[in-house]
Amino acid sequence: MTDTDSNGRPGDVSNAADDRDPLFARIPRRDFMKAGAATGALTGLAGCTSLLSSEENATAAADVDASVPPGEHDEYYGFLSGGHSGEIRVYGIPSMRQLMRIPVFNRESARGYGFDDETRGMLEDAGGYTWGDTHHPRVSQTDNDYDGRWAFVNDKANGRMARIDLKYFETDAIVDVPNQQGTHGACCMLPDTKYVFGVGEFRVPMPNDGRDLDDPDSYTSNIAAIDPETMNVEWEVLVDGNMDNGDGGKNGRWFFATGYNSESAVTESGMSESDTDWVKAFDVPAIEEAVEAGEYEEIGGVPVVDGTRDSSLNEGDRPLVRYLDVSKSPHGVSVTPDGKYAIASGKLDPTCSVIDIEALGEVDDPNEAVVGRPSLGMGPLHTAYDGRGHAYTTLFIDSQVVKWDIEAAVEADAESEDPVVEKIDVHYNPGHLIAAESYTAEPAGDWLISLNKLSKDRFLPVGPVHPENDQLIYIGDDDAGMELVKDTPAYAEPHDASIVHKSKLEPASTYDPADPELDPVGVDDVDIQREDGRVDVKMTSQRNQFGFEDITVQEGDEVTITVTNIETTADLLHSMAIPEHDVNIKLAPQETRKVTFAADEPGVYWMYCAFFCSALHLEMRSRLLVEPAE
Ligand code: CUA
């Protein structure tokens, strides 16, 4: 195959995937889905020519100005997951400038996250793992619109969910979801974020305590409903098969999750044997009633209801979970802005399934609620919306974004390509994509980001590990068509994102001294207390001193230092770093942090400020004197 050039760019690079996967190279692409080797082919990561080449579609797009001149602000915040880094990254859109990184499951020294007692304790209480794998940042909503309170993100690696306070842009809660290994999907129950759902991916014995080790038939996965205020897991629902991504309906009734492995297998070939898998539709009020009626088993401290296909709770008039048969291994699912449809992408099949949400509550056979199945291209993964009736779906294998008409797909015959409006090449192999405010009832309809897994030749080479490529596409002009505006290299691995208009957020510019949780140290509170091998220091920081010029402790003391940055000037950060003690706390204006450490080695240690705060920044330091034990 000579396919990579289909991306229409000079400087063709050989497709590494084709080089290493001779199986894929042998399969004529039109027969790709019939080859019975679809999973092998999917891992082939090819950038094939599209059915409808983008050259044919290229119209004279209007010149789009995505520049944001120096000193000016962006229109939107983009919250992108940081994958293996365990963080969230905040971008300005459309500039694609990275504005901030929010550590979540990782320790991060510039923000002192995981170093002070509170954040270190939060990470330890949530399992104490040193990494996480963030995938799906979702922002809380009220009445189907962003309310600016929180962002949530999952840890696929360790089965956790975190909450980020969007006043301070910092993680304020993490829950280690019981009974769940591999929390993949994360999303909100709308219209008012009643729950945050963690979608469990890896099937394991329940509970996973050593029983049923090699009895895969008894493994299960579940969804967890988490209260956004308390971050308590309120209930879980057991299901058959794996789960993957999810999205909540807009009216408080349904929640959808895609899943592969209806086969309940434990090997790749086993997981892709069947031609169909399920989209699961969870009837949330019915589940709440079952919990209320005590129809659950408590496992790991959580009420767990049985939503497997053959369970008694899942039979009768009001099954808890409806299993819809869709083509093999569906991947993304997202609900249209008007709340009418849930659209599940085929991944190993070129179609998407359009599910009529209202019909779902009325039909006997849930498969009758599938009202459209447009054929979009190779490897459809995720779908976003512009609010003008179009859906945009990433085509992982074709390396394209396809724009299509949702109602046309409902009216067209199954597997028709007629609903396709336009395709645009992206570089390369996109996973998620996100349009501005796509998860709300009223998407903005102007910007879309394609989160591409590979960048290949798009940037200066930096060794064998390539950056990924987040591409900005203008979708605001239906006549001119989609226009690729910007490449943005990204460190692995942004999976998903949410884009929120700046008017919906009100970030604080300093900490709030009236916040009862902060308990600040005032200038009059500076103090040292000693008792039985414990030293308790309270001090301030401001240009260019800490509250004490020196602090003397005994070898072996446990030392707690609480510091308040008493600056009121925005952006005037200090920190307190202590060499050879693994201490570094960041102090934004009016912020208070507490850190506890052992003074185990006699000697002189300079406590210094690690943020450049003024011309006398280097001089801003105090001594920690650790006296040898008698
Ligand atoms: Cu304070 Cu540098």
Side-chain angles (χ1 to χ4, degrees):
M1 287 176 61
T2 55
D3 59 20
T4 43
D5 198 38
S6 68
N7 293 293
R9 296 293 180 276
D12 176 36
V13 289
S14 74
N15 187 308
D18 281 4
D19 294 344
R20 65 170 179 257
D21 192 345
L23 174 66
F24 183 76
R26 286 202 308 271
I27 303 171
R29 60 182 307 282
R30 294 230 174 228
D31 294 335
F32 171 82
M33 287 301 136
K34 298 174 193 148
T39 48
L42 187 76
T43 56
L45 296 173
C48 297
T49 42
S50 61
L51 300 171
L52 187 62
S53 103
S54 62
E55 264 91 326
E56 290 163 25
N57 269 291
T59 49
D63 272 339
V64 179
D65 185 5
S67 66
V68 178
E72 292 194 12
H73 289 184
D74 282 285
E75 200 65 17
Y76 299 96
Y77 289 94
F79 295 91
L80 279 71
S81 59
H84 325 70
S85 71
E87 67 190 12
I88 292 289
R89 299 169 189 158
V90 185
Y91 281 67
I93 293 166
S95 74
M96 299 298 279
R97 297 179 296 198
Q98 191 181 111
L99 307 178
M100 186 46 63
R101 292 159 52 183
I102 306 171
V104 183
F105 300 109
N106 54 317
R107 224 171 164 219
E108 206 282 314
S109 44
R111 295 188 55 149
Y113 181 83
F115 289 82
D116 69 285
D117 289 0
E118 185 191 350
T119 56
R120 188 170 59 195
M122 183 168 69
L123 289 169
E124 279 168 8
D125 290 346
Y129 314 111
T130 60
W131 77 296
D133 185 6
T134 57
H135 278 230
H136 305 286
R138 295 293 180 102
V139 174
S140 59
Q141 299 192 32
T142 298
D143 197 17
N144 285 312
D145 196 8
Y146 291 127
D147 58 22
R149 293 186 74 187
W150 297 306
F152 301 93
V153 72
N154 66 304
D155 170 17
K156 165 160 168 165
N158 304 300
R160 296 180 291 180
M161 187 73 70
R163 186 178 69 192
I164 292 150
D165 175 350
L166 291 179
K167 182 178 177 189
Y168 296 128
F169 277 55
E170 67 186 22
T171 307
D172 73 346
I174 301 175
V175 58
D176 191 350
V177 182
N179 310 320
Q180 205 168 87
Q181 194 175 100
T183 302
H184 189 160
C187 51
C188 300
M189 186 77 211
L190 299 176
D192 299 321
T193 317
K194 182 174 185 184
Y195 301 114
V196 180
F197 287 111
V199 183
E201 179 165 4
F202 301 140
R203 298 172 66 255
V204 289
M206 177 76 82
N208 190 23
D209 58 2
R211 72 187 68 192
D212 302 333
L213 283 187
D214 201 19
D215 179 16
D217 284 343
S218 72
Y219 300 174
T220 54
S221 62
N222 66 67
I223 66 156
I226 300 164
D227 181 316
E229 301 269 354
T230 62
M231 292 297 279
N232 283 336
V233 179
E234 297 293 303
W235 41 260
E236 294 178 342
V237 184
L238 291 186
V239 297
D240 290 311
N242 286 38
M243 288 188 290
D244 194 347
N245 288 278
D247 200 17
K250 304 282 192 215
N251 69 355
R253 177 157 181 197
W254 297 99
F255 171 80
F256 300 89
T258 50
Y260 57 103
N261 197 19
S262 54
E263 301 87 345
S264 299
V266 291
T267 61
E268 184 213 87
S269 58
M271 291 185 207
S272 48
E273 211 164 75
S274 168
D275 282 338
T276 58
D277 280 294
W278 299 306
V279 169
K280 291 155 192 136
F282 296 82
D283 189 336
V284 175
I287 294 163
E288 289 172 326
E289 281 167 32
V291 173
E292 193 75 14
E295 295 172 306
Y296 61 81
E297 186 182 349
E298 189 168 309
I299 305 173
V302 175
V304 180
V305 299
D306 191 350
T308 54
R309 300 191 91 195
D310 298 334
S311 70
S312 59
L313 287 175
N314 213 27
E315 290 165 355
D317 295 346
R318 191 91 188 261
L320 303 189
V321 184
R322 309 213 75 181
Y323 288 70
L324 287 80
D325 300 312
V326 296
S327 305
K328 182 192 282 243
S329 296
H331 192 59
V333 60
S334 56
V335 172
T336 54
D338 57 12
K340 277 175 80 174
Y341 305 111
I343 294 176
S345 307
K347 190 170 85 171
L348 299 187
D349 180 275
T351 65
C352 276
S353 297
V354 182
I355 300 160
D356 183 324
I357 294 176
E358 202 178 315
L360 200 55
E362 295 160 1
V363 292
D364 290 329
D365 176 0
N367 291 323
E368 288 170 21
V370 178
V371 295
R373 219 154 71 80
S375 185
L376 301 175
M378 307 284 272
L381 287 194
H382 293 281
T383 299
Y385 306 103
D386 63 10
R388 301 188 299 272
H390 303 117
Y392 298 78
T393 301
T394 44
L395 300 174
F396 179 76
I397 296 167
D398 280 344
S399 284
Q400 291 187 314
V401 169
V402 51
K403 173 181 178 180
W404 53 285
D405 185 304
I406 301 165
E407 288 299 339
V410 172
E411 282 153 23
D413 292 336
E415 307 200 28
S416 166
E417 294 172 22
D418 292 347
V420 172
V421 176
E422 183 191 0
K423 293 182 178 184
I424 189 170
D425 292 333
V426 294
H427 313 86
Y428 304 90
N429 302 97
H432 274 266
L433 80 176
I434 183 65
E437 309 221 306
S438 179
Y439 292 125
T440 72
E442 292 183 32
D446 47 5
W447 297 109
L448 179 141
I449 301 172
S450 176
L451 301 157
N452 307 316
K453 300 294 185 188
L454 308 192
S455 65
K456 295 185 183 177
D457 57 346
R458 300 291 282 191
F459 306 110
L460 273 179
V462 286
V465 178
H466 298 226
E468 304 192 0
N469 188 9
D470 298 336
Q471 288 186 303
L472 182 72
I473 295 169
Y474 186 67
I475 57 169
D477 187 335
D478 289 330
D479 296 328
M482 290 184 276
E483 184 176 351
L484 175 60
V485 174
K486 208 167 274 194
D487 276 18
T488 312
Y491 194 70
E493 176 178 1
H495 285 267
D496 192 7
S498 288
I499 301 178
V500 181
H501 192 264
K502 62 184 176 187
S503 63
K504 313 272 172 79
L505 297 184
E506 281 186 72
S509 65
T510 70
Y511 280 78
D512 180 358
D515 187 335
E517 288 181 18
L518 290 185
D519 195 15
V521 179
V523 271
D524 298 332
D525 307 325
V526 171
D527 185 32
I528 300 184
Q529 296 285 335
R530 299 164 202 281
E531 196 182 341
D532 300 335
R534 276 203 40 83
V535 180
D536 213 337
V537 181
K538 293 197 188 326
M539 64 185 204
T540 53
S541 70
Q542 70 181 122
R543 286 161 285 173
N544 297 95
Q545 331 133 351
F546 295 109
F548 288 101
E549 290 179 351
D550 46 62
I551 297 169
T552 302
V553 302
Q554 302 293 310
E555 177 186 354
D557 280 349
E558 183 185 62
V559 183
T560 298
I561 303 181
T562 307
V563 200
T564 297
N565 176 357
I566 59 173
E567 307 275 1
T568 53
T569 309
D571 203 16
L572 227 152
L573 272 66
H574 300 292
S575 81
M576 188 196 68
I578 307 179
E580 299 168 32
H581 287 74
D582 211 23
V583 168
N584 177 46
I585 53 175
K586 163 235 47 168
L587 299 155
Q590 300 291 321
E591 183 174 18
T592 299
R593 290 285 163 187
K594 182 196 284 192
V595 61
T596 301
F597 59 94
D600 280 344
E601 293 289 334
V604 175
Y605 302 95
W606 285 100
M607 302 161 53
Y608 77 101
C609 171
F611 277 103
F612 202 106
C613 52
S614 78
L616 287 168
H617 151 72
L618 292 178
E619 289 82 351
M620 183 172 173
R621 50 198 171 112
S622 299
R623 289 178 305 158
L624 174 70
L625 308 173
V626 182
E627 292 181 346
E630 299 287 306

